[in-house]
Amino acid sequence: MSDLLLKNVRPLAGATTDILIRDGKIAAMGAGLAAEGVAVEEGAGQIVIPAMIEAHTHLDKTTWGMPWYQGRKGGVLQDLIDNERNERNPIGLDVHRQSMRHAVGLIETGTCHIRSHVDIDTDHGLSLLEGKIETRNKLKGLIDIEIVAFPQSGLMVRPGTDRLMEAAMKAGADVVGGLDPSSMDRDPKGQLDFIFALADKYGAQIDIHLHEPGELGAFTMEEILNRTEALSMQGKVGVSHAFCLGSVSESRAAGLVDRLAKLDVAIFSTGHPSATTPSLAQLRAAGVRVGIGCDGIRDTWGPWGDPDMLERARIVGMKNRFRRDDELELLMDIASTGGAASCGRYGHEVKVGALADLTLLTGETLAHAVVLRDPRPLVIKGGKVVARAGKAVVEAP
Amino acid sequence: MSDLLLKNVRPLAGATTDILIRDGKIAAMGAGLAAEGVAVEEGAGQIVIPAMIEAHTHLDKTTWGMPWYQGRKGGVLQDLIDNERNERNPIGLDVHRQSMRHAVGLIETGTCHIRSHVDIDTDHGLSLLEGKIETRNKLKGLIDIEIVAFPQSGLMVRPGTDRLMEAAMKAGADVVGGLDPSSMDRDPKGQLDFIFALADKYGAQIDIHLHEPGELGAFTMEEILNRTEALSMQGKVGVSHAFCLGSVSESRAAGLVDRLAKLDVAIFSTGHPSATTPSLAQLRAAGVRVGIGCDGIRDTWGPWGDPDMLERARIVGMKNRFRRDDELELLMDIASTGGAASCGRYGHEVKVGALADLTLLTGETLAHAVVLRDPRPLVIKGGKVVARAGKAVVEAP
């Protein structure tokens, strides 16, 4: 936590101001601020936003910086899951090294918080979690890493995974994850009962991958909503992907969105280019908390992606048919303030009293900033400069 | 047309070779080539591909390099068309200047051929075409620009457009364009009869925008296929977007794809992120010529896009759910050799006798080259270096 005087920046592309940071928080905002003995950064009229939030990714999966991986497979979801679980060790996918590369890429592109799922399975035990915790510790103060214990290979179908999930929560995972309770585990009651009980026991949030399409996904989502209501877990549950919201009828989707809002269940979207995705504008209009994320980048599943939330925001924006400036402003909010709330991190704004996690962007307006590929001029975490001109202050291995 | 010795490059990421260029064509390939008095470029083991083909864009629409345009609208297709037609003059969209910026961006990212539609309407007459022809002349020898006369605001619904379309062909347009003959003109017979007659008269190719969804689009596509067959215009007709192929039933789409192949009708796709798009793998497997393009970039319609075919290839690849190396290799072919054939430019390969239009790419393999965002090390057009390290030899205004 540091003190810093940031001169001449435009919060959300508004009027130019100075920002005084004390003990890692925004202490004052206004023109012509001065402070004795405090480091000064010149913002040169750039836009400043609350730093971006990577609300859905997998730091334990990327091959970023490794030799090109040629073994990607086609097939159904289960084939991709099996290929990854079997290939991790043969290709030398060291989770600590790889998650460092991924996270440092996010630091230098202006992200201050990562919600990362980590595979928990009976082949690898807690080893992947351990690599990621090492990264979280090394990057403490530079970026926040929130870890979701994620039963990627299934929970009910792989006995022993339940004990590992609880061990993961004890070992430092923050959030209880789940995956396609119906189509993957063929036992939605079994998986959901377990997940909700585990989250209740550890006072943790829940974040469930739901790729299930159409009415199957809608059914499973109802079961998630029913448990959220019955257990009074409003504000603590999230659903990732939620492809079903883009493939059921409009009225059916509207009914589900209404319940998501009422029960304060968050939605995490990656704007998946070849799947049906939820309408983020519809969700936000209904009052649903929404976050976006890059999902896996250049991993054994697929070759695409970069550790850059602005690249992902563009993909999400195109997918959502956003064109107008007000739509791009909403998108930027979802990538920062709104994305933070989706992870239960409220008050992530450029305002006095807020944590000084700030990213400077080039551009005339906020909408313009969404489309530019310039390096981020400055990234500040807790009042400390963590990246400058697209280069982080920490080296990735 | 120039002579050049390109040392140590890997055609399509294969074995390292030298390439000797004489009079703008590839004269020899092999290890350790030498030639007296010929300029030498060191390829340093980089990949070389036939330069990329931008097979569907609109050079007359972009605001690239202009102040940020804040007036984008929502609404239906007609609203976007009207907004653009009305806004061109008020915002000072100078077509020559803007098409230069767009085309120079494509030169420096490794494209050698642009198929660009140009709006022909009764408000602007041929003025937009004239600006683009000026650009084509200025960039002669640096990039090829193929111009499609495009009745963006409708043909049958705006009397006088027919005469302008013919005037455009006389003034230097290469290809006869069309737009949604059913949904836009409400007169598919009228528009298609006119277009096919005009193309026949000028010995020109045809390229029709077809956004019409589902069975309406399939019906219009049948009308295009019927005329292609009746008038023996095999190999001279193309359909852009063809969203209907992604929204009718699989068997219905397969029947249309079969006829596209038999009648040698090309498909141009932009991988539109929020529309249903044709399966490029299915089209290629059936033998259909396929090209891809960026469509409009940062124009009055939408804020997205860059003048870079590799960026577009990634969007198209994600949309088509390509993951495996062989799929990324197919994608690269569609962006270069295949895309050229889709525009009627055959033999666009790295082989002796072919035109020396070549782009160097970084990467270990061809698939790896698809995902990298590095500047293109070298771009060669007709044996002449036209861009180096991401910078063109010509300045955009």
Side-chain angles (χ1 to χ4, degrees), chain A residues 49-172:
Chain A
I49 61 166
M52 290 184 284
I53 307 293
E54 165 51 280
H56 185 103
T57 192
H58 299 262
L59 291 180
D60 59 322
K61 292 184 187 292
T62 189
T63 67
W64 197 262
M66 289 172 61
W68 180 248
Y69 174 63
Q70 304 199 17
R72 294 186 183 90
K73 297 281 190 294
V76 299
L77 187 63
Q78 188 67 52
D79 298 320
L80 302 175
I81 291 171
D82 291 344
N83 183 56
E84 177 182 58
R85 200 181 54 254
N86 297 331
E87 290 274 77
R88 280 185 176 278
N89 292 339
I91 67 171
L93 205 155
D94 179 298
V95 168
H96 170 56
R97 181 192 65 213
Q98 292 309 114
S99 58
M100 282 290 290
R101 290 176 180 172
H102 190 155
V104 169
L106 286 167
I107 291 170
E108 65 195 15
T109 51
T111 289
C112 68
H113 180 110
I114 306 171
R115 172 175 282 203
S116 174
H117 299 255
V118 62
D119 290 6
I120 302 294
D121 68 56
T122 50
D123 284 11
H124 298 94
L126 301 187
S127 62
L128 313 180
L129 172 67
E130 288 157 6
K132 204 180 283 195
I133 288 176
E134 192 182 346
T135 293
R136 177 166 71 181
N137 293 339
K138 277 213 181 133
L139 296 180
K140 198 171 158 63
L142 300 171
I143 194 163
D144 300 324
I145 300 179
E146 185 183 22
I147 299 178
V148 186
F150 175 50
Q152 170 76 82
S153 291
L155 211 156
M156 309 304 285
V157 290
R158 287 179 74 94
T161 305
D162 52 353
R163 287 189 301 276
L164 286 168
M165 285 288 287
E166 175 147 16
M169 296 307 293
K170 283 186 184 153

Side-chain angles (χ1 to χ4, degrees), chain B residues 145-277:
Chain B
I145 301 179
E146 186 184 20
I147 299 177
V148 186
F150 176 50
Q152 170 78 79
S153 292
L155 210 157
M156 310 304 285
V157 290
R158 285 178 75 95
T161 306
D162 54 351
R163 288 189 300 277
L164 287 168
M165 286 287 288
E166 175 147 16
M169 296 308 292
K170 284 186 183 152
D174 305 291
V175 178
V176 178
L179 171 68
D180 294 334
S182 298
S183 63
M184 181 81 192
D185 265 350
R186 326 305 290 188
D187 181 3
K189 182 175 190 314
Q191 184 184 125
L192 292 174
D193 283 352
F194 173 80
I195 285 173
F196 275 82
L198 187 62
D200 185 53
K201 181 168 175 184
Y202 289 85
Q205 295 182 61
I206 287 171
D207 188 338
I208 301 172
H209 280 62
L210 189 60
H211 308 93
E212 296 170 6
E215 282 298 337
L216 179 63
F219 157 77
T220 306
M221 186 176 277
E222 287 171 329
E223 287 305 297
I224 295 168
L225 290 162
N226 291 343
R227 282 168 179 74
T228 304
E229 187 165 14
L231 301 169
S232 297
M233 287 190 65
Q234 290 87 345
K236 302 198 73 176
V237 177
V239 177
S240 284
H241 299 306
F243 293 158
C244 62
L245 290 176
S247 59
V248 294
S249 72
E250 286 181 18
S251 58
R252 178 78 160 115
L256 291 166
V257 169
D258 188 50
R259 282 196 79 195
L260 289 168
K262 285 208 177 84
L263 295 168
D264 198 12
V265 172
I267 294 291
F268 303 100
S269 180
T270 65
H272 197 303
S274 61
T276 61
T277 60

Side-chain angles (χ1 to χ4, degrees), chain B residues 27-77:
Chain B
M29 292 173 64
L33 293 184
E36 293 273 315
V38 167
V40 176
E41 289 287 341
E42 176 54 51
Q46 307 280 19
I47 295 169
V48 63
I49 62 166
M52 290 183 284
I53 307 293
E54 165 50 278
H56 185 104
T57 193
H58 298 263
L59 291 181
D60 60 322
K61 292 184 188 295
T62 189
T63 67
W64 197 262
M66 289 172 61
W68 179 249
Y69 174 63
Q70 305 199 16
R72 293 186 183 90
K73 297 282 189 294
V76 299
L77 188 62

Side-chain angles (χ1 to χ4, degrees), chain A residues 138-265:
Chain A
K138 277 213 181 133
L139 296 180
K140 198 171 158 63
L142 300 171
I143 194 163
D144 300 324
I145 300 179
E146 185 183 22
I147 299 178
V148 186
F150 175 50
Q152 170 76 82
S153 291
L155 211 156
M156 309 304 285
V157 290
R158 287 179 74 94
T161 305
D162 52 353
R163 287 189 301 276
L164 286 168
M165 285 288 287
E166 175 147 16
M169 296 307 293
K170 283 186 184 153
D174 306 290
V175 177
V176 179
L179 171 67
D180 293 336
S182 297
S183 63
M184 181 82 193
D185 265 350
R186 326 306 288 190
D187 181 3
K189 182 175 190 314
Q191 184 184 126
L192 291 174
D193 283 352
F194 174 80
I195 284 173
F196 275 82
L198 187 62
D200 185 52
K201 183 169 174 182
Y202 288 85
Q205 293 183 62
I206 287 172
D207 187 338
I208 301 172
H209 280 63
L210 188 61
H211 308 93
E212 296 169 7
E215 282 298 336
L216 179 62
F219 158 76
T220 306
M221 187 176 278
E222 287 172 330
E223 288 305 298
I224 294 168
L225 290 162
N226 292 343
R227 281 167 179 76
T228 304
E229 188 166 13
L231 301 170
S232 298
M233 287 189 66
Q234 290 88 343
K236 302 197 74 176
V237 177
V239 177
S240 284
H241 300 306
F243 293 158
C244 61
L245 289 176
S247 59
V248 295
S249 73
E250 287 181 19
S251 58
R252 177 79 159 116
L256 291 165
V257 169
D258 188 50
R259 280 197 80 195
L260 289 168
K262 284 208 178 86
L263 295 168
D264 198 12
V265 172

